[in-house]
Each structure stands twice: as structure tokens, then as C-alpha cells.
Amino acid sequence: MKMMEENIEKKFDAEQVIEDFEVLTKNAGRIQEETLEKILKENGGTEYLKQWGLNGRTDVKTFKACVPIVSHNDLEPYIQRIADGDLSPVLTGKPIETISLSSGTTQGKPKFVPFNDELMDSTMQIFKTSFAFRNREFPIGNGKALQFIYSSKQFKTKGGLAAGTATTNVYRNAQFKKTMKAMSTPVCSPDEVIFGPDFQQSLYCHLLCGLIFRDEVQVVSSTFAHSIVHAFRTFEQVWEALVVDIREGVLSSRVTVPSIRLAMSKLLKPDPELADTIHSKCLSLSNWYGLIPELFPNTKYIYGIMTGSMEPYLKKLRHYAGELPLLSADYGSSEGWVGVNVNPKFPPEMVTYAVLPNIGYFEFLPLEENLIGMEQANCPVGLTEVKLGEEYEIVFTNFAGLYRYRLGDVVKIKGFHNGTPELQFVCRRNLLLSINIDKNTEKDLQLAVEAAGKHLVDEKLEVVDFTSHVNVSADPGHYVIFWELSGEATDEILQECCNCLDKSFLDAGYVSSRKVNAIGALELRIVKRGTFHKILDHFVGLGGAVSQFKTPRCVGPKNSSLIQILSSNVVKSYSSTAFC
């Protein structure tokens, strides 16, 4: 078996991967039943499943009738026992040896999620399927990928399990490297850079490696669009130092980690010609437009997760990308994968994900029912029973001990690939700005910020980043929006922006509440340049990985450290007069 696997890795057959995917999706209903049966056979003897009286049955009807729909809070005590070293079959038949940490940007602290070989296998299946469809539309030859990936530190839990972010668990797995190599996109940077302890130093060296191999770079990517934008914003600040390093063949003193310095010394040789080329390219650009194709002329596309909370960065990413296509990566979470982007030509705003029916058992809670009370056992529908155009919350069961687990994501059914649905990500269900009857999602906030941001265009300014908070300590409660800007704006323009934000929340509950002052005037607070960088540093300091960082779009009351960072960096504040 091992021998066979190695042979498969050596030669990547894209057409075979696509053919396998077609077979799976044509039989989505049957594959779903078989997948659930396999999960329950492997794990039916666990403490968690035994208590629900399945008595060895593995059919869908019994499973739905007996096992409750749960959230992370319900499973947390079980996961904690595993992390603390309980070796009995708590959630899975085989012992869990690795724990994934969720990004933690929403609640202020990461969640523990079990990770195992089956999840690694489904990760590789997603990567290969996605690459096969991508490569059909945008073929790449033998080259390299400039990947802005960073591993967070792995630590040992009380019970001795390795714990790290989901991305770290993947990057550290030998299968990941083998698969990247088989797909002809080895990364530019040595491991010492990816696994470096200081992400600023790693980022600087990622950029340097990209420049050294500039003619070989065919793909520029990261887990999230934010990391790519962050990398090239940093490039604007450090490009001259990078040019000096290339000219002299000596790494800048700003990189102090010995292992990184050693690894980079093997790559870096004096190259005045390359230094001159990069220098003249940078000077010839107008406001850094088209920076990526200028630096890396053979790049075919830019790749990363670009949906949901990443959409606000698309405008800046397109600016750096020039004419290069932006391809949105696949749909997953710390808990596991959901779907694959099989239409890579779609722009990120329209991207859909075809669910892989063999990587877990999927159910969908219709959204109307969700808002009213939704714990009826027969409420969710199966993968092949969803209706076109409807919105649902995903409930899934995987091979790593999560059973009927509410993922917290709202998706819309946009079509079908054979028998499996194609989902569009709508929003996180729990990221609602809400005071009483108002309900505004992350998407509503993004649209409001985009509308208000148009007032800055004539001033050649942009919103670098933003978040929000519901202030209920005042009476009446009101929305607070935090903005970091690329430069100084006048009070007059910022007051216009503030009023526009307030008017752009179109939810009927919000508008009616504002009119009768049941919700107070929206407040726009401008924070110092670099504030969102401090939030990123804070997140990394808690053990998070930069490549997994998502700016929280709504800061909850429990996340006091983030509120503290934001509040202490406010330089100006405006109250809306839109409903006066």
C-alpha cells in the first residue's frame, strides 16, 4: 500500500482526479449513506455515541432520530478530556493524537478540535481535486509557488497531544509536501522560513525568496487573501532593503533567527543584475498598481480564500494583481472540509463550492426554522434534499469525532454539480450586529463600509481595515464601527461617512428602531495607523498562526482585550446625524 501511495504522489493525474470526482458526485446520495455508515462503524463503540442508544445501527434514519444536533460547547468537555490524556474511546474508536486550534478571532480564544489521519486524507483530496480543475483552466508548468504561509508553534496539551492551528497540522505533515511536489508547485521558501518563530522575519524572507526565484514563480498564494495583501503592503515598506540584500548577497540584519539566517544564506548570492531589475520595476509602477505581475512575470493566478470576511481585501488585492485572475480557494474550517471550487474562472464574489460527499456526512438546517427555535429533530435536510436558492446552516458529522455538529456557517444553494449541491458562503451565523429586533450580518456590515468608503475616493484614501462592536452599556445601545484609514481625512468627510454607514444598514428592524431611537446613533471611531497590526500581533501572541488570521468583523463583549486595543487607539469619533 505504502509503495502504491508513493507512486501516486510521483505522478499527478489531473484527469483521473476529475473523473473520480464526477463518479462521487453522480452518486452523492448513496455515497453519503456509505460515509455515515463507515463513520458509525468505526466509532459506534465510543462513549459519546453509546449514550444515544444507536445499538450498532448505522442507518441515516436511526442516526437522525437518536443523536442530537450540537454546538462546540456541547462537545467541549469530551474534547478537553482527550486533550488532557484520556485514552479511552471518548469520541473516536482510534485515539486522537493531534488537536487543531480554531482561529479564535471570533470569541477571543481558540477552540480545540480533534484532528486525525482521515482529516489529513480529506485535505489532500480537496487540494488535488481543486488543483485538477484549476489546472485545466489555468495550466502551470514546472515552477514554484510563492506561498505566504506561516506555521504557528505547536505545543503539547496536558495529555501530551500535539496542538496547533489546522494549517500548521497540515504544513507539518509529510503528505502535504509530497502532494505539492506532485502538483509541480513546490514552495519558494525553505521550511525554516515557514516554521520561523517570528512572522515579520518570515514574511520578509518569503518576499526575498520570491524575488530570488522570480522567473519560476507561477502562483502567488496564502491561506487567506488578507495575508497576501498584508505581504505586499509590507513590500511597499521594505522593498529597498530587499534590493540591497539581493545586490550584496547578504541577509538584512533585521532577520535575527539563526535557523532562518542559515537557510537563507544557502539561497542568497550577490546578484546586481536582479537587484537593478527589481529597483527599476518598483520605480516604474504607479501607486504599486500591478505590482505582483511586475515582480513575478510568469505568475498565472493568485490563490487563497477570498470569500466571507476576506471580501473587503479584494479591491486592494486586485490593485496589486493588475490583470492577473484571482482564484478563490476551497471551503473548509478548523473542524474539517466542506467543498471544493470546481469553477475556478468565477470571480471570488460569485465562487461556489461543490460538496465532496465522501469526506463527512452533511445536513442542512433551513434558515427560517433556524431563527425560530430549530431543535426539532426532523428539521435538517440531507445533502441531496436541499433546494436551489434556499439558505441553510451546515450541520456535519466527520471522521474525527464531531457528530451532527453545527458549523455556524450560513450558505446558499446556487446550483448542483451532478447530484451534489454547489454552495455559496453567505456569512457566519453568530456574527450578527443586533441590539433588539435588528439583525445585520457580516455581509451587511461589509456593504455598509463599502458604501461609506466611496466618500473617501476623491481624497485618494481607503479603509485599510475595519471592525464593529455593539455598545449596550449606553442607553439606547448603538453600533460602533472602527476604521483604520490609509491617511488623514477631514472631519466633514468623516461625518458624511458616519451618516452613510448608518443609512446603509437596510435591515427593517434596524431602520425602524433607529427612527424611534430604540437604537442610538451609530458611532464611527477612527483608529491610529497600525492598530489592526496590533490586533494581529495580539492574536499571534496567543499562539495563533498568521496565515489563519481573520480580522474579527464583530468584536463580542467577551473579547475584552481586543476592545481594549481598539479603544486605546481611537484618534477621532463621530456620531451619526442621519436619523435626526
Side-chain angles (χ1 to χ4, degrees), residues 298-349:
N298 296 312
T299 305
K300 303 289 192 298
Y301 54 83
I302 292 162
Y303 183 65
I305 293 168
M306 299 183 187
T307 47
S309 58
M310 293 299 125
E311 271 191 47
Y313 304 108
L314 289 179
K315 187 179 169 198
K316 190 68 176 176
L317 191 52
R318 286 200 168 101
H319 180 82
Y320 287 136
E323 300 298 308
L324 283 173
L326 303 185
L327 275 58
S328 194
D330 309 299
Y331 174 21
S333 65
S334 302
E335 289 90 346
W337 289 98
V338 177
V340 65
N341 177 4
V342 295
N343 302 302
K345 281 195 161 168
F346 283 11
E349 293 86 349

Side-chain angles (χ1 to χ4, degrees), residues 39 47 59 64 83 117-118 127 134 141 149 174 176 226 260 286 301-302 338 356 419 442 454 457 505 547:
I39 290 170
E47 178 186 329
D59 61 290
K64 284 183 161 186
D117 289 345
E118 282 92 345
F127 280 13
R134 215 158 60 238
I149 54 179
F176 171 73
H226 168 268
I260 299 181
S286 167
Y301 54 83
I302 292 162
V338 177
L356 278 170
E442 186 176 335
K454 288 181 178 147
V457 173
F505 286 107
S547 47

Side-chain angles (χ1 to χ4, degrees), residues 141-446:
N142 271 336
K144 290 188 185 294
L146 171 53
Q147 284 200 310
F148 295 101
I149 54 179
Y150 311 87
S151 164
S152 67
K153 297 180 198 71
Q154 273 185 323
F155 64 89
K156 290 277 189 236
T157 66
K158 187 175 156 192
L161 279 68
T165 58
T167 44
T168 299
N169 291 334
V170 170
Y171 300 151
R172 285 192 180 276
N173 193 296
Q175 242 185 302
F176 171 73
K177 263 198 214 161
K178 251 202 249 177
T179 303
M180 291 304 289
K181 202 169 177 188
M183 299 191 305
S184 311
T185 45
V187 297
C188 289
S189 306
D191 279 0
E192 290 81 356
V193 171
I194 296 169
F195 297 109
D198 180 312
F199 92 85
Q200 294 291 7
Q201 295 184 35
S202 289
L203 168 53
Y204 184 86
C205 292
H206 276 317
L207 289 166
L208 189 53
C209 291
L211 294 173
I212 291 168
F213 296 112
R214 74 182 287 259
D215 292 326
E216 292 176 61
V217 171
Q218 302 212 16
V219 180
V220 173
S221 73
S222 188
T223 312
F224 290 122
H226 168 268
S227 294
I228 306 173
V229 170
H230 180 70
F232 288 103
R233 281 193 196 276
T234 303
F235 181 86
E236 290 183 35
Q237 314 298 320
V238 302
W239 71 275
E240 286 162 304
L242 290 163
V243 167
V244 170
D245 288 4
I246 290 167
R247 190 179 303 285
E248 295 174 359
V250 178
L251 185 60
S252 161
S253 59
R254 71 181 65 212
V255 179
T256 56
V257 176
S259 58
I260 299 181
R261 289 197 70 86
L262 182 63
M264 291 303 295
S265 69
K266 292 171 187 167
L267 295 177
L268 200 52
K269 303 285 175 278
D271 194 340
E273 195 182 329
L274 176 59
D276 288 343
T277 303
I278 293 160
H279 193 264
S280 60
K281 295 268 181 208
C282 290
L283 291 181
S284 68
L285 289 170
S286 167
N287 194 24
W288 301 103
Y289 177 80
L291 171 62
I292 296 173
E294 279 299 316
L295 291 180
F296 313 107
N298 296 312
T299 305
K300 303 289 192 298
Y301 54 83
I302 292 162
Y303 183 65
I305 293 168
M306 299 183 187
T307 47
S309 58
M310 293 299 125
E311 271 191 47
Y313 304 108
L314 289 179
K315 187 179 169 198
K316 190 68 176 176
L317 191 52
R318 286 200 168 101
H319 180 82
Y320 287 136
E323 300 298 308
L324 283 173
L326 303 185
L327 275 58
S328 194
D330 309 299
Y331 174 21
S333 65
S334 302
E335 289 90 346
W337 289 98
V338 177
V340 65
N341 177 4
V342 295
N343 302 302
K345 281 195 161 168
F346 283 11
E349 293 86 349
M350 290 173 62
V351 74
T352 59
Y353 304 99
V355 179
L356 278 170
N358 68 329
I359 60 174
Y361 180 72
F362 295 91
E363 298 171 75
F364 296 84
L365 280 163
L367 209 61
E368 319 73 66
E369 317 230 22
N370 243 347
L371 295 175
I372 353 173
M374 70 352 61
E375 289 305 341
Q376 303 98 322
N378 301 322
C379 190
V381 296
L383 182 71
T384 56
E385 299 162 340
V386 292
K387 293 191 171 70
L388 194 63
E390 296 290 310
E391 291 189 357
Y392 299 91
E393 180 184 353
I394 297 176
V395 173
F396 89 142
T397 297
N398 72 3
F399 285 92
L402 303 183
Y403 306 99
R404 306 198 83 196
Y405 180 97
R406 294 179 62 175
L407 205 51
D409 287 356
V410 175
V411 294
K412 187 172 193 171
I413 310 302
K414 297 295 281 187
F416 289 86
H417 187 102
N418 297 322
T420 200
E422 292 196 356
L423 320 172
Q424 188 173 50
F425 179 84
V426 177
C427 62
R428 288 287 295 160
R429 195 161 146 50
N430 57 357
L431 285 184
L432 285 176
L433 283 167
S434 181
I435 288 169
N436 48 35
I437 56 166
D438 53 313
K439 283 189 170 49
N440 283 298
T441 65
E442 186 176 335
K443 187 71 180 170
D444 298 322
L445 171 63
Q446 184 193 321

Side-chain angles (χ1 to χ4, degrees), residues 14 33 73 151:
E33 288 177 15
N73 285 348
S151 164

